[in-house]
Amino acid sequence: MDCAFTTTHNAVSATAITNFYLSKKSSNFRFFTVKCSNNLSAGLVERPWKVADARLVLEDGSIWKAKSFGARGTQVGEVVFNTSLTGYQEILTDPSYAGQFVLMTNPHIGNTGVNFDDEESVQCFLAGLVIRSLSISTSNWRCKETLGDYLAERNIMGIYDVDTRAITRRLREDGSLIGVLSTEDSKSDEELLKMSRTWDIVGVDLISGVSCKSPYEWVDRTGSDWEFNNNGRSKETFNVVAYDFGIKHNILRRLASYGCKITVVPSTWPASETLKMKPDGVLFSNGPGDPSAVPYAVEAVKELIGKVPVFGICMGHQLLGQALGGKTFKMKFGHHGGNHPVRNLRKGCVEISAQNHNYAVDPESLPKGVEVTHVNLNDGSCAGLASSKMKLMSLQYHPEASPGPHDSDTVFGEFIQLMKQEKVKA
C-alpha cells in the first residue's frame, strides 16, 4: 500500500496535494495530515548536552575552552602531558604529580571506570586532569564508580572536549607551562592569566605535602593474581628503610614480594635515626618537584651513602646525584608515560619503561667512580647510576611500573644482591 502525508506549513497547500492523489482514483493510497507549530513564546529550552563551562588559561596567553567534570573552582598548576595508553587511575594517585595538571595524550579516558585496588597512594595529589574525550559509560568487571564521581569526591578538577593534541604540540615546542583551570565565570581571562604568570613550581618543596607524618610498617606483597615474576627470589629477609618522598604503593609491594621487611619513614627522618634501626638497605623513593628545593633530604642521603646499601628511584635518583656532588636540571617538558625506551648499558639491552619526572641528573657533573648504567634513548639523558664502592644504585624511572611494562622489575633483585653482598662482608 502507498502512503502520502501532508503538512500544513508547506509552500504547496495540503489541499492541492490531496486533490492530486485523488485524481489517480486509486484505492491504494491512504492520507493523513501532520500539523506543525512552533511555540517560540515558551522561551529557550535547556540543551540536552553539556556546553563549555571551563577555561584553561596558559601563561603564554592561550585560552582553551572546555567542559568540566569532577570538582569545580579555580586551580593553578604546571601542565605536563602523559603518553600512557592505560592506567589513568595509577597516574591520578601518583604523588609525583603534585602541583601539576596531567594532560593525557590518549584521547579516550574513563571507559574502565575506577576501582579501589589500583590506587598508588591514599589520595589524589595532582592539580587536575585534562583529556580529549570523557567516556559516557564504563565497562569493566572491577569498576566501582565513574571517573567523574571519583574526582568530585576527591576535590580534583577535570576538563574534556579540549584539543589535547594542540596543547601537547605547544608543550613540546615551548616546554612545560603554568596554567590556571577555572569554572568560575566571575574570574576574567586577565585575572587567570595573571595567576598563571605569578605562580611558579621551581624551588617549591612539594615533598613535605605528600610524605607520611610518622613511620609505619609495610607488609603487603603483590597479589597472587597479579604476580608476574617469581624467579630469583631470595629466601632471606632483608630489613629496608624506605624514605617516603611520595612513594608509590607498588614500589613497596615489589620490595615485599622480593623478601623485604619494610619500614617507611617521613622525608624529614634523620639519617642518624635510620642508622640506629640497623637496616640492610635504604630506599629513596620517587616524589614530586624540584630536588634542589629539599636540601634536608639531600643531607640525609649524603649521610647514608657508603654506610649502608642504598637504592634511589626517580626523585631518589636525583637526590643521590646531588648528594654525590652532581647537579640536576629542569627538563624542557620532562618524561611522563609508559613507553620510554632506556638502554641498560650493563646488560646491553633495551628496556621499555614507565617514567614521570621533570628533572634529570647531569652526568658530566658526577665525580669519578660513579657509573652511568642507563641512558634514555629518546634524548640521551641519564637514567641510572651505580657505584659498587659506595654501595649505591639508582634509576630515574619506575621499575615497578603501575602503569607500564615490567621490563625493569629485576632491578629489585639487584638491590637484594647488593644487600646480600654487604651481609656476607659483615
Side-chain angles (χ1 to χ4, degrees):
M1 177 179 291
D2 295 321
C3 296
F5 70 91
T6 63
T7 59
T8 59
H9 66 288
N10 280 352
V12 181
S13 70
T15 302
I17 295 175
T18 302
N19 289 337
F20 169 79
Y21 281 107
L22 286 174
S23 68
K24 301 296 183 180
K25 297 181 179 180
S26 171
S27 60
N28 291 328
F29 285 100
R30 178 174 294 177
F31 300 92
F32 56 91
T33 300
V34 177
K35 293 183 178 181
C36 300
S37 64
N38 293 321
N39 184 12
L40 298 179
S41 62
L44 295 176
V45 179
E46 183 178 352
R47 293 186 177 114
W49 59 86
K50 189 178 179 70
V51 297
D53 62 343
R55 289 165 292 166
L56 174 63
V57 179
L58 300 180
E59 62 176 307
D60 65 359
S62 61
I63 301 172
W64 307 81
K65 298 292 181 66
K67 300 173 184 177
S68 68
F69 70 107
R72 299 182 65 82
T74 299
Q75 181 64 267
V76 62
E78 181 182 42
V79 185
V80 298
F81 62 89
N82 187 298
T83 57
S84 295
L85 298 180
T86 61
Y88 55 80
Q89 186 174 349
E90 290 92 333
I91 292 168
L92 290 172
T93 52
D94 183 348
S96 295
Y97 282 115
Q100 294 179 323
F101 294 126
V102 180
L103 181 151
M104 302 296 294
T105 59
N106 185 33
H108 195 58
I109 302 295
N111 53 308
T112 57
V114 172
N115 67 78
F116 303 118
D117 297 325
D118 291 344
E119 296 181 327
E120 286 297 319
S121 64
V122 296
Q123 68 182 81
C124 296
F125 289 99
L126 79 172
L129 182 65
V130 180
I131 62 177
R132 176 67 184 92
S133 176
L134 178 64
S135 179
I136 61 174
S137 62
T138 58
S139 179
N140 187 275
W141 64 276
R142 301 170 70 214
C143 176
K144 298 300 182 183
E145 64 179 335
T146 66
L147 176 60
D149 290 342
Y150 181 83
L151 293 183
E153 291 167 3
R154 288 153 182 78
N155 198 34
I156 301 296
M157 299 181 68
I159 58 171
Y160 67 102
D161 268 10
V162 63
D163 192 343
T164 52
R165 177 175 291 184
I167 298 175
T168 299
R169 287 176 63 91
R170 189 172 295 243
L171 297 176
R172 282 185 58 85
E173 293 170 3
D174 300 337
S176 299
L177 296 170
I178 303 300
V180 178
L181 183 57
S182 181
T183 59
E184 298 179 285
D185 294 333
S186 60
K187 295 187 182 297
S188 67
D189 293 342
E190 291 73 20
E191 288 179 286
L192 299 180
L193 180 60
K194 183 178 180 181
M195 288 178 62
S196 70
R197 290 177 174 175
T198 55
W199 188 85
D200 198 356
I201 198 170
V202 177
V204 177
D205 177 5
L206 296 172
I207 287 177
S208 60
V210 302
S211 177
C212 63
K213 304 306 179 187
S214 59
Y216 65 92
E217 304 293 323
W218 180 275
V219 295
D220 293 343
R221 300 185 176 193
T222 302
S224 58
D225 291 340
W226 305 104
E227 182 56 71
F228 51 86
N229 184 9
N230 286 307
N231 298 325
R233 298 300 172 82
S234 174
K235 294 182 180 179
E236 295 182 68
T237 298
F238 296 88
N239 294 314
V240 173
V241 172
Y243 272 78
D244 179 10
F245 300 128
I247 198 165
K248 292 172 67 180
H249 288 171
N250 216 45
I251 291 177
L252 298 172
R253 292 191 192 100
R254 298 313 294 153
L255 278 174
S257 295
Y258 272 88
C260 295
K261 182 180 178 182
I262 307 162
T263 302
V264 183
V265 298
S267 60
T268 55
W269 193 253
S272 58
E273 293 300 314
T274 298
L275 293 173
K276 288 179 183 178
M277 299 165 72
K278 299 185 182 304
D280 296 310
V282 175
L283 173 81
F284 303 120
S285 82
N286 63 292
D290 183 355
S292 299
V294 286
Y296 59 86
V298 176
E299 286 303 312
V301 174
K302 189 181 298 184
E303 290 180 40
L304 292 169
I305 289 177
K307 298 177 182 177
V308 62
V310 297
F311 178 24
I313 295 177
C314 204
M315 171 61 76
H317 162 84
Q318 297 162 19
L319 294 174
L320 271 170
Q322 288 200 0
L324 290 167
K327 297 178 181 179
T328 57
F329 62 93
K330 193 174 193 299
M331 308 176 80
K332 185 175 181 180
F333 47 79
H335 297 155
H336 311 278
N339 50 4
H340 289 254
V342 171
R343 178 183 290 127
N344 186 324
L345 300 178
R346 283 182 164 181
K347 295 182 179 179
C349 64
V350 173
E351 302 171 2
I352 304 301
S353 65
Q355 304 207 10
N356 175 23
H357 62 102
N358 268 35
Y359 291 81
V361 174
D362 178 7
E364 299 299 324
S365 66
L366 295 169
K368 292 182 179 181
V370 179
E371 175 189 2
V372 175
T373 57
H374 298 72
V375 175
N376 188 297
L377 291 179
N378 284 338
D379 58 12
S381 60
C382 175
L385 299 172
S387 172
S388 56
K389 181 179 180 181
M390 291 181 274
K391 298 176 285 191
L392 66 86
M393 56 184 291
S394 69
L395 288 179
Q396 178 59 87
Y397 53 94
H398 288 265
E400 86 292 344
S402 297
H406 303 144
D407 296 24
S408 303
D409 184 76
T410 54
V411 74
F412 292 106
E414 295 173 19
F415 184 42
I416 296 295
Q417 290 301 314
L418 188 62
M419 291 187 287
K420 186 180 292 187
Q421 291 169 10
E422 192 63 20
K423 263 190 172 184
V424 172
K425 291 178 183 179

